[in-house]
Amino acid sequence: MARSREPFVSLLLYYAFKWSVVNPMLRIYFRGRVYGTENVPKNGPLVVVSNHASDFDPPILSCCVRRPVAYMAKEELFRIPVFSKAIELYGAYPVKRGSADRSAIRAAVKYLEDGWAAGVFLQGTRTPDGRITEPKLGAALIAAKTNAPLLPVSLWGTQNIQSSAIPRSVPVTVRIGQAIPPPSSTDKAELLAVTQQCANAIASLHDLGR
């Protein structure tokens, strides 16, 4: 891995949280199944793109990809004093929902330059069934700017986790697809084409179910 952002503290907390909380919860509580880990590039810039149905998706996805992944998080979370510092250390950075936030794009590019992978939920928000109906261009734009491949990942079953106050012990399946080459330019037509390719790949993985 190249030079890391806030290297020791950030990565130490990242891995401590992963192995003490996220991995046991995924494997035991959610009876998690993970397929396709061999498709994850071990180094170099990488944009991880996924569907999104639960607040549990970011840590689950990061755990399965087996690389530190930085995520965009809604800017409101960074107004909570202690919590904002904690999620910053785990690689989160703010984004204004519903707008083209240039600072968030720059932050994602910076993380990629520092050796992290950048995680982007393709629709930008949660959907009730985990399906992607309106994919956004942000992931393809980041990939074009950094020449990073896009890694499609399907999260199956996470929409059922938060139907009650306590997370439900429901089966969760994560499928990692083949990396997709980045767009060769930031031309909108090309960004659209690559974005749709990612959405189709995630949908095909999701259709495999459990």
Side-chain angles (χ1 to χ4, degrees):
M1 181 181 295
R3 178 178 60 85
S4 300
R5 166 191 169 273
E6 313 291 353
F8 186 74
V9 174
S10 188
L11 291 178
L12 180 64
L13 288 174
Y14 188 99
Y15 284 112
F17 182 67
K18 170 182 175 178
W19 292 114
S20 65
V21 178
V22 181
N23 191 64
M25 195 167 186
L26 173 62
R27 300 293 180 176
I28 300 170
Y29 193 71
F30 295 133
R31 307 187 297 283
R33 295 179 182 175
V34 183
Y35 302 97
T37 54
E38 68 279 2
N39 294 329
V40 182
K42 294 182 179 179
N43 47 54
L46 180 68
V47 178
V48 181
V49 290
S50 174
N51 58 322
H52 186 24
S54 163
D55 289 339
F56 287 77
D57 293 348
I60 288 175
L61 188 54
S62 297
C63 183
C64 297
V65 171
R66 300 180 181 178
R67 285 182 57 175
V69 181
Y71 283 95
M72 296 181 185
K74 58 184 180 181
E75 63 177 351
E76 291 83 358
L77 296 177
F78 290 84
R79 297 171 187 162
I80 307 171
V82 176
F83 184 70
S84 65
K85 187 60 179 177
I87 61 176
E88 262 186 67
L89 287 171
Y90 289 127
Y93 53 93
V95 62
K96 295 178 182 178
R97 293 197 295 181
S99 67
D101 190 345
R102 293 181 180 178
S103 64
I105 297 293
R106 287 196 298 269
V109 171
K110 179 64 165 58
Y111 273 106
L112 286 166
E113 291 172 347
D114 286 351
W116 290 60
V120 180
F121 293 115
L122 205 56
Q123 186 144 327
T125 188
R126 291 176 294 176
T127 57
D129 58 359
R131 296 283 181 177
I132 297 170
T133 56
E134 298 179 15
K136 304 297 189 289
L137 303 183
L141 178 60
I142 294 167
K145 287 179 173 290
T146 58
N147 197 35
L150 297 115
L151 187 71
V153 181
S154 161
L155 301 173
W156 182 93
T158 64
Q159 71 271 15
N160 299 317
I161 293 176
Q162 293 175 268
S163 61
S164 60
I166 298 174
R168 296 178 59 203
S169 177
V170 297
V172 168
T173 301
V174 180
R175 296 183 184 273
I176 303 170
Q178 298 284 342
I180 295 171
S184 60
S185 74
T186 57
D187 177 75
K188 186 174 181 180
E190 189 169 2
L191 295 180
L192 282 167
V194 172
T195 298
Q196 192 58 53
Q197 187 180 357
C198 290
N200 292 344
I202 294 169
S204 295
L205 293 168
H206 198 269
D207 286 343
L208 296 174
R210 179 63 172 166

